[in-house]
């Protein structure tokens, strides 16, 4: 383990060479002037609606002892049922195959943090996918085997691409800044300092030769970074801008009828706090009140301060960049597809891999492709389903809270090569859901 002294001093003046600041390419200004030619915006066609009448496979048998470990390889992998028995529907398979083709280069090129696969393992399926002309469900049956990670018990939430009122320049009715990356935000790759910290990053700012924590939400809202962060757009509603940050990307409906897409660039390094759980614990919700995202918005709007004090309890703050072309973009830098893409923890699911979910919410059941990650999407069999944009996507994502089982689809032969690996007899690493999820707050993207 890295020593506390190392962590405390790694960003002293002597260590700043490895603490890379990534400034915005524009000079810092209180108000970013828009490009003369707006970027064109498109979205991938959403996948099919999922059937409420599908027959789902039984859940995996429970494990004894309970699974433990911080990666899929450590928690253990077991064979699942034949892929043909999962009940993959042709329409969802067709959309999943298109998404899988898109992510194949990343699967082959990237190192798999889950410890399950090697780049070469994906080559046969990726090669076949490029020219596959048969039934799409048959493709997944031909090249994949189902695997259970840990105990296989799954939990799924939902996210979507918000559409909110915004403007490129500040004007009456558009007073909420949407910030780009600050020029004083420093990102530190801790893996450069200790092998056991690989994959971990922290963010802050340099003050007096030391790396200190970056301002939290309340300080940023009060103007603490105005001289350091460009304003790339202005929102009309502070609550809508808050949930734009929670989702991580979105569409701005401009006064002239145009559309501007913004996507996640970075974050201030502060922990995310789900305000739904906070409001529930404080008795703000009364019996019978809706605790879905829509209910939370309505409750915030009814507060004397417009919900500002509650929103400021979430110290995390997201910075955006304008995106053109197809989007929104997932963690691989590739566009995600509504009703097809799912966010997962890359320590347990190779990004780009297909996943089959059997949930108590039929909308979330079926075949998905892991193309994104999320700040609150941590642990085995934890997923965040993507629903696209629009009112229906907002409704489904805002109320999504599904429990059930998950099977990861891996290249045929993976389980045999790995063992299969059974979980070690060790104290279980509990799969604790973020408490706010039961109160309806979506996890931060």
């Amino acid at each position: 383990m890295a020593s506390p002294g190392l962590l405390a001093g790694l960003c002293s003046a002597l260590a700043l060479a490895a603490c890379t600041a990534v400034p915005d390419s524009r000079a810092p200004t209180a108000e970013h002037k828009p490009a003369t030619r707006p970027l064109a915006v498109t979205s991938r066609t959403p996948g099919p609606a999922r059937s409420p009448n599908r027959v789902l496979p039984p859940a995996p048998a429970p494990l004894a002892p309970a699974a433990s470990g911080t990666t899929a390889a450590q928690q253990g992998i077991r064979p699942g049922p034949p892929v043909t028995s999962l009940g993959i529907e042709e329409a969802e398979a067709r959309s999943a195959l298109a998404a899988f083709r898109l992510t194949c280069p990343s699967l082959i090129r990237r190192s798999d943090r889950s410890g399950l696969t090697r780049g070469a393992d994906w080559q046969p399926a990726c090669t076949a996918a490029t020219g596959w002309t048969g039934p799409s469900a048959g493709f997944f049956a031909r090249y994949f085997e189902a695997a259970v990670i840990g105990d296989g018990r799954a939990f799924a939430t939902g996210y979507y691409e918000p559409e909110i009122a915004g403007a490129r320049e500040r004007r009456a009715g558009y007073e909420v800044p949407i910030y780009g990356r600050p020029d004083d935000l420093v990102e530190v790759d801790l893996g450069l300092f200790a092998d056991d910290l690989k994959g971990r990053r922290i963010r802050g700012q340099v003050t007096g030769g030391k790396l200190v924590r970056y301002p939290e939400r309340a300080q940023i809202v009060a103007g603490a970074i105005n001289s350091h962060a460009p304003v790339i757009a202005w929102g009309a509603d502070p609550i809508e801008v808050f949930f734009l940050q929670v989702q991580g990307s979105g569409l701005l409906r401009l006064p002239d009828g145009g559309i501007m897409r913004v996507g996640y660039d970075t974050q201030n390094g502060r922990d995310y706090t789900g305000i739904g759980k906070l409001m529930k614990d404080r008795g703000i919700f009364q019996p019978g009140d809706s605790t879905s995202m829509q209910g939370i918005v309505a409750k915030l709007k009814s507060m004397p301060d417009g919900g500002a004090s509650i929103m400021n309890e979430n110290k995390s703050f997201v910075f955006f960049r304008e995106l053109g072309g197809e989007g929104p973009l997932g963690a691989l830098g590739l566009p995600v597809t509504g009703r097809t893409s799912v966010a997962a923890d890359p320590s347990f699911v190779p990004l780009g891999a297909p996943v089959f979910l059997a949930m108590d919410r039929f909308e979330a059941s079926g075949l998905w492709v892991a193309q994104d990650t999320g700040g609150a999407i941590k642990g085995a069999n934890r997923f965040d389903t993507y629903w696209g944009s629009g009112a229906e996507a907002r409704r489904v994502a805002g109320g999504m809270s599904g429990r059930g089982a998950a099977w990861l689809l891996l290249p045929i032969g993976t389980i045999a090569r790995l063992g299969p690996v059974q979980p070690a007899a060790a104290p279980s690493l509990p799969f604790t859901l973020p408490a706010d999820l039961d109160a309806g707050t979506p996890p931060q993207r």
Side-chain angles (χ1 to χ4, degrees), residues 16-205:
L16 285 176
C19 301
T20 306
V22 188
D24 193 282
S25 58
R26 300 178 292 269
T29 175
E31 182 172 347
H32 167 55
K33 299 300 182 183
T36 56
R37 180 177 298 176
L39 299 176
V41 170
T42 61
S43 299
R44 295 177 68 82
T45 302
R50 300 185 179 240
S51 170
N53 300 316
R54 72 192 307 156
V55 178
L56 297 172
L63 282 177
S68 65
T70 58
T71 67
Q74 292 173 2
Q75 285 216 3
I77 178 173
R78 296 178 285 159
V83 172
T84 53
S85 71
L86 294 177
I88 297 174
E89 298 180 348
E90 180 60 21
E92 71 188 27
R94 191 179 307 117
S95 185
L97 178 54
F100 178 75
R101 285 193 188 106
L102 190 66
T103 55
C104 262
S106 295
L107 277 167
I108 294 171
R109 181 182 66 250
R110 289 168 58 94
S111 175
D112 180 5
R113 282 169 48 186
S114 74
L116 297 176
T117 66
R118 306 162 299 187
D121 296 338
W122 298 96
Q123 190 67 62
C126 286
T127 300
T130 59
W132 187 265
T133 57
S136 298
F139 167 79
F140 291 99
R142 169 65 179 83
Y143 287 96
F144 293 91
E145 59 189 7
V148 179
I149 306 302
D151 61 13
R153 292 182 298 169
F155 182 75
T157 47
Y159 71 109
Y160 71 107
E161 185 177 36
E163 296 181 20
I164 70 172
R168 289 182 176 273
E169 295 183 331
R170 188 172 189 173
R171 59 171 69 190
Y174 298 86
E175 307 284 348
V176 186
I178 298 173
Y179 288 109
R181 179 189 287 264
D183 66 355
D184 64 340
L185 179 64
V186 176
E187 299 188 1
V188 183
D189 180 357
L190 296 180
L192 298 176
F193 297 87
D195 289 343
D196 61 341
L197 296 176
K198 287 187 182 300
R200 293 183 58 189
R201 291 177 176 270
I202 58 174
R203 299 178 179 92
Q205 63 182 181

Side-chain angles (χ1 to χ4, degrees), residues 255-266:
D256 63 1
I259 293 290
M260 175 182 178
R261 171 174 278 140
V262 295
Y264 176 94
D265 193 352
T266 189

Side-chain angles (χ1 to χ4, degrees), residues 14 20 34 69 107 129 134 199 229 232 266 275 293 324 331 349 370 374 432:
L14 295 177
T20 306
L107 277 167
I232 65 171
T266 189
I275 63 172
M293 189 185 73
V349 177
T432 54

Side-chain angles (χ1 to χ4, degrees), residues 250-306:
L251 301 172
L252 307 184
R253 298 188 305 272
L254 305 177
D256 63 1
I259 293 290
M260 175 182 178
R261 171 174 278 140
V262 295
Y264 176 94
D265 193 352
T266 189
Q267 183 256 2
N268 65 341
R270 298 284 187 154
D271 290 339
Y272 172 76
T273 298
I275 63 172
K277 172 63 163 54
L278 196 70
M279 295 166 71
K280 187 176 180 180
D281 289 347
R282 293 182 181 178
I284 294 174
F285 287 114
Q286 302 301 315
D289 286 348
S290 170
T291 57
S292 67
M293 189 185 73
Q294 292 86 343
I296 293 171
V297 171
K299 188 65 71 173
L300 292 173
K301 288 180 180 294
S302 72
M303 295 178 178
D305 67 349

Side-chain angles (χ1 to χ4, degrees), residues 316-344:
S316 173
F317 197 95
V318 170
F319 303 102
F320 294 94
R321 59 191 174 101
E322 183 175 1
L323 299 177
E326 200 169 36
L329 304 182
L332 295 172
L334 301 170
V336 290
T337 305
R339 298 196 291 261
T340 299
S341 300
V342 68

